[in-house]
Each structure stands twice: as C-alpha cells, then as structure tokens.
Amino acid sequence: MHKTFQEYLCAEEINYQLENELDFGIILNAIREHLHDAHWREVLLLLIAQQKPKNVAKAIRAVLNNGSEYEEWLYRDLFFAGNCLAENPKGLRGVAGELVQEILERLLELEVSRREQVAGEVHLQVYQSFRSLYETDFEAQALEMLKKRSNLIDEGRLLRYQAELGEKEEVMTTLLTMLQDKDSVIRLKAVNTLRYFREPSETVVNALLVYLEDEDPYLRKTVAHALGYWGKDSENAFNTLLDLLQNDNLAVRWEAAFVIEKLGYKKLGNSIDKMLEALPPQLQDWVFALVKGDEANLDESDAGSQSNIGILLERLKDENPILRGGAVSALGKLGNSSEVIINALLEVLKDQVPDVCGMAAMALGNLSNSSETVVNALLEKLEDDNSFVRCGSATALGDLGNTSETIVNALLGKLEDEDSYVRQRVSDALGKLGKKSNHILPTIVQWIQQHQDSEYVGRGIDALWYLVVGEEN
C-alpha cells in the first residue's frame, strides 16, 4: 500500500513522541480520535505496523473494540483490523495468533452470510480484505479457512479467492476447462469469474470470443460485457467482432455491435462504415444507432442546435425502438431541459418497449427538472411491472435531488423490491439524496432497525454505507 512522504513524517513524529514519553496510550489515543478519518488512514496503518509485535496486537485489539457508530451494520472497525493484517506486521502470528484467527473468522462469517442481509458494500469489502492478504504471513491461513467453508461460498467467488491468494495458475486452468463444458451453466460460471481478472491473456480472450455465437443468449451477453472491458487490447478480438457483424444470427450481430460500442467505435476508423455498407439495408440503422450512437450523427460543436434537437425529437416517433432509445439517450446528454424536450420525454415514458421507457426516465433525471409533473410521472413508473423501468425511475429520482418525504418513503418501500437490480438502484438513489438532506440518514437508520428480519435489509445498509463511509473517502 503506497504511503506518501507526509504520512511517513506524521507516523515518525508520533513514534518519536511514544519513545520519548514511553506511553503507548499516545497511539491508542490516535486510534480513538482518528480511526475512520480518511486523512489519517495510512498514518495509522503505518504507525501500527511499525510497533513491536505485542504492541501491534494491543493496537489492533483497540481497533476491534473501538465501537464505531453503526458497527453492527458497517463493520468498519473489523475491516480496519483486516487492513492492519494486510500491512503484514512481522511476528504478529507468533504473539497474537488468537487475535489473527478472530479477525479472519469474523470476516469469514460475513463472507458466508447472505449478501442481501449484510449489504453488497460490506460483501465487497470482505472480498477486498481477504485479497489484500496476498503475500502476507496470513495468506495461507486465510485461504485454508475459506476452502473449509467452500460449501457456503459461491464457486466463482472461491475461485477468485484462490487466484488472489497464490493459486492463479491452477484457477486459470480450471476456468479454461470449464469453458469447454457442455453445460452452459458451468460455462457461464467460468465467464463470470474470468470477468474479474484484470489482465486476461490472449488465450482467455480467444476462448471467450467463441461464445459470442453460443446458443445461450445470457452467456453471449455475459461474454460481450467481459470483452467490452478487455478487447481493446486484442487486435484479434476486434477483427472477430467486425466479422460477427455479418453473422446470420441477429442476436449475435447485436452482441458484437454492443462490444464494439463499449470499446469505442472511433478506434475502428473507417472500418465500421465499410462493415455497415456490407449489411442488409434493414439492419444498417439499428447497428449504426447502437455502435455509433445518435450523437455521432450530429456535429459535436452544434449538438444542441434547434435543428439537431428537432432531428432527435422526430426520432422519438420512429418505429424502430433502438432509434427511439438512441434519441432518448442523446436528449438526456444535451443538458437542455426546455419544456418541449421535457414534455417529449414524458410522452416517451408511455412507450410500450420497457427499455425505451426506462431510458426516458433516466434521461429526465439527467436533465434535472424536478417539477411536480416530472416527479409524479417518475413515482408512477417506480411501480411499473417491468424491472428496468423501475430501475430507471429510481435512478432518476436519485439524480433529481428532491428529498421530499413522499419521494423518500416511495424509495424506502422499494428496498424490498423483488428484483435485485431495482433494490440496488433504490439504495444508490437514497444514498445520493442523503447527501442533500440531513434528515435522510436517521430515516434510513430507522428503516434498518425496523427491518432487521427482512431478507433484503442489506440494501438499506448499502444506503447507510454510502452516507457514512462515503464521507470518509
């Protein structure tokens, strides 16, 4: 973990004071006063790691027993103790093996708990805590403990732990074998796990390219998303994607176009134009809309002109839902919240295609018009039968920044939505609104207290995390 020169100086100054006064209470006081202050984080970690083993143990125990606010939900003290282990203080296992075991066991209990009950952010932090133990004295111990509870850990996540904690080559071999399995579920697990590898090899990219033509549509989509992050570094990936734009299967062409859009069509130069010319006329419009986006049709220096806005407004009526969606997206990015545009987007909220309707909701959020008409329309869509529409509405309500009791209560009610993506968007929206108003944090705390037994209580905790921990970072 990188430390700045100023952080070293600060730690050295406190150490000098400690040696001069022979009072370990100086460090304990620093922990009590600054434990979750972002400006002190690296100083405290450095300071603790520099102590002799018994004093390191005392300091970490003080961290664990700090009793920070909302510790029963956010586990900030526990995670900081895990960060102390990641600093690899020498000799700690020898003098405080029980303390190390306690920290790892408490992290493990969170790992095997249901994500929806402990919060997604907490679950993510558990992963970060374990992976940070790579090449420390605690690496093997942590991995052994994780493997012993493998029956309660998602297979893909356990493979990621193994890769992060010294078994990367073995895991890569396993995943490449899984990619060849006849069962699409197993292939999907392999792809989902590979997505988390930051530097995949050309072998992995080539293995995934095959599955852009897989018969399983969800697998194709997952592969497309993975390649969207990686393919920019692979010439072979780019060439294969271009070839797939002419595939006989419409869905395959769609996934290929999605990845090209993700990677950035400008990298292709004139290649995409030549490829579009080779497509049947009835396919050119939707591929062009997805790959280049409607903004590409407009002069960037004049994107907000009345003539171009008129073009986009006209496209809102097009029979092709992809062109309607592209126009909605473009309007939402122009920053023009004129009455004409707002009314047009409100009309699109009635679109029969859920994707277009959800995009219209998000566009309204981007334009920052929180009029009563807009808010009421979004609140209505928060109850829509389609989960994507509900996601779009929740996102928009969070972006608008209106912290009225009606909006907050409506969002709180959706923290237990049947769809996990909706719950996440609602949690994010409440977190954003909480930055605008002091009354939302206690409201969220009250909701958590009242829903302790809910299987979805974690989404309320996610919002709390955003408000409390987000302030520290």
Side-chain angles (χ1 to χ4, degrees):
M1 196 173 294
H2 178 69
K3 307 289 191 299
T4 68
F5 182 64
Q6 288 81 3
E7 287 162 349
Y8 274 110
L9 286 178
C10 186
E12 286 298 319
E13 182 179 343
I14 296 175
N15 251 333
Y16 175 80
Q17 190 178 356
L18 169 64
E19 293 173 2
N20 188 50
E21 300 182 20
L22 298 176
D23 181 8
F24 191 69
I26 292 171
I27 289 182
L28 298 180
N29 286 335
I31 290 172
R32 280 191 292 269
E33 292 177 18
H34 306 291
L35 182 55
H36 298 299
D37 183 334
H39 299 292
W40 276 79
R41 174 186 171 81
E42 300 302 327
V43 173
L44 290 177
L45 287 172
L46 179 61
L47 191 61
I48 292 171
Q50 287 179 339
Q51 305 309 307
K52 293 181 179 179
K54 288 186 178 180
N55 280 344
V56 170
K58 288 180 184 177
I60 295 178
R61 177 60 68 184
V63 168
L64 274 178
N65 295 337
N66 189 62
S68 295
E69 193 172 22
Y70 313 123
E71 180 66 14
E72 69 269 36
W73 301 318
L74 303 183
Y75 305 100
R76 291 179 296 163
D77 298 344
L78 173 61
F79 293 139
F80 198 94
N83 290 333
C84 291
L85 296 186
E87 294 293 313
N88 202 23
K90 301 303 178 185
L92 182 62
R93 286 188 66 188
V95 302
E98 291 183 2
L99 174 62
V100 173
Q101 183 74 11
E102 178 185 346
I103 293 170
L104 295 179
E105 285 180 350
R106 288 172 63 177
L107 288 171
L108 186 59
E109 286 308 310
L110 290 177
E111 170 61 40
V112 300
S113 298
R114 286 192 67 249
R115 179 175 177 177
E116 293 286 359
Q117 291 181 312
V118 300
E121 290 293 343
V122 168
H123 207 234
L124 175 62
Q125 188 59 52
V126 170
Y127 176 72
Q128 299 293 352
S129 295
F130 275 120
R131 71 186 290 265
S132 69
L133 299 179
Y134 175 61
E135 292 189 334
T136 68
D137 292 344
F138 319 106
E139 176 185 47
Q141 182 180 355
L143 184 56
E144 181 183 1
M145 292 172 68
L146 287 162
K147 286 182 175 180
K148 284 183 178 179
R149 302 292 291 276
S150 61
N151 61 315
L152 297 175
I153 302 174
D154 175 76
E155 181 184 8
R157 187 164 165 114
L158 183 61
L159 285 169
R160 287 163 58 197
Y161 276 133
Q162 290 177 250
E164 295 283 4
L165 296 175
E167 298 183 357
K168 185 172 183 178
E169 289 186 11
E170 297 93 322
V171 169
M172 190 59 68
T173 299
T174 298
L175 291 172
L176 288 173
T177 301
M178 289 171 66
L179 276 178
Q180 306 302 317
D181 200 282
K182 294 181 179 180
D183 189 338
S184 64
V185 174
I186 293 177
R187 298 199 302 273
L188 182 60
K189 282 185 178 180
V191 174
N192 272 322
T193 304
L194 283 166
R195 287 171 61 188
Y196 291 95
F197 285 77
R198 290 178 293 278
E199 298 177 359
S201 65
E202 190 75 7
T203 301
V204 172
V205 172
N206 290 338
L208 289 177
L209 283 170
V210 175
Y211 294 103
L212 278 178
E213 299 181 78
D214 194 89
E215 62 183 16
D216 184 334
Y218 188 68
L219 179 60
R220 286 199 308 269
K221 188 172 290 295
T222 306
V223 169
H225 277 82
L227 289 169
Y229 290 105
W230 298 338
K232 64 180 182 298
D233 298 320
S234 170
E235 183 177 350
N236 182 43
F238 245 76
N239 292 334
T240 302
L241 291 166
L242 289 173
D243 291 341
L244 288 176
L245 282 178
Q246 299 182 84
N247 192 279
D248 292 338
N249 188 313
L250 177 65
V252 171
R253 293 196 297 270
W254 176 279
E255 302 302 349
F258 169 84
V259 180
I260 292 173
E261 185 275 334
K262 187 78 175 178
L263 299 179
Y265 76 90
K266 290 181 180 178
K267 291 179 177 290
L268 297 174
N270 295 324
S271 299
I272 190 63
D273 295 318
K274 293 178 181 179
M275 196 58 60
L276 284 169
E277 290 173 5
L279 291 172
Q282 65 270 27
L283 296 178
Q284 290 182 9
D285 276 351
W286 72 259
V287 172
F288 186 85
L290 182 63
V291 176
K292 284 198 169 185
D294 282 272
E295 299 94 320
N297 281 331
L298 308 178
D299 181 346
E300 291 185 6
S301 65
D302 195 27
S305 72
Q306 289 303 311
S307 60
N308 284 331
I309 289 174
I311 293 172
L312 294 174
L313 290 173
E314 190 62 30
R315 283 188 183 173
L316 294 180
K317 305 171 187 176
D318 197 281
E319 292 182 3
N320 189 327
I322 295 177
L323 289 177
R324 295 201 303 276
V328 167
S329 177
L331 287 169
K333 294 174 182 176
L334 292 182
N336 186 326
S337 57
S338 68
E339 185 177 351
V340 172
I341 291 178
I342 296 299
N343 288 338
L345 290 173
L346 285 170
E347 192 63 29
V348 179
L349 276 181
K350 303 172 186 177
D351 198 294
Q352 295 302 305
V353 178
D355 285 2
V356 177
C357 180
M359 291 173 69
M362 288 185 278
L364 285 166
N366 288 338
L367 295 179
S368 304
N369 184 317
S370 58
S371 68
E372 185 177 353
T373 302
V374 170
V375 168
N376 287 339
L378 292 172
L379 286 172
E380 181 181 344
K381 290 301 176 181
L382 196 59
E383 304 296 331
D384 195 89
D385 291 339
N386 185 271
S387 61
F388 184 75
V389 175
R390 299 199 299 277
C391 280
S393 179
T395 300
L397 289 169
D399 289 340
L400 289 179
N402 186 323
T403 61
S404 73
E405 185 176 350
T406 300
I407 292 175
V408 172
N409 287 338
L411 289 170
L412 284 170
K414 287 298 175 181
L415 282 174
E416 296 185 274
D417 192 278
E418 63 183 15
D419 188 274
S420 62
Y421 289 106
V422 175
R423 295 193 295 272
Q424 181 62 60
R425 296 296 176 270
V426 168
S427 176
D428 293 343
L430 285 167
K432 287 182 179 179
L433 294 180
K435 298 286 189 180
K436 304 279 186 178
S437 173
N438 293 330
H439 80 270
I440 292 180
L441 189 147
T443 300
I444 290 174
V445 170
Q446 184 181 43
W447 185 92
I448 295 171
Q449 292 170 334
Q450 293 172 347
H451 293 78
Q452 291 279 30
D453 297 328
S454 168
E455 61 178 318
Y456 301 135
V457 67
R459 288 311 178 191
I461 298 174
D462 273 332
L464 181 65
W465 178 283
Y466 186 87
L467 293 176
V468 176
V469 182
E471 287 292 338
E472 299 166 0
N473 298 324

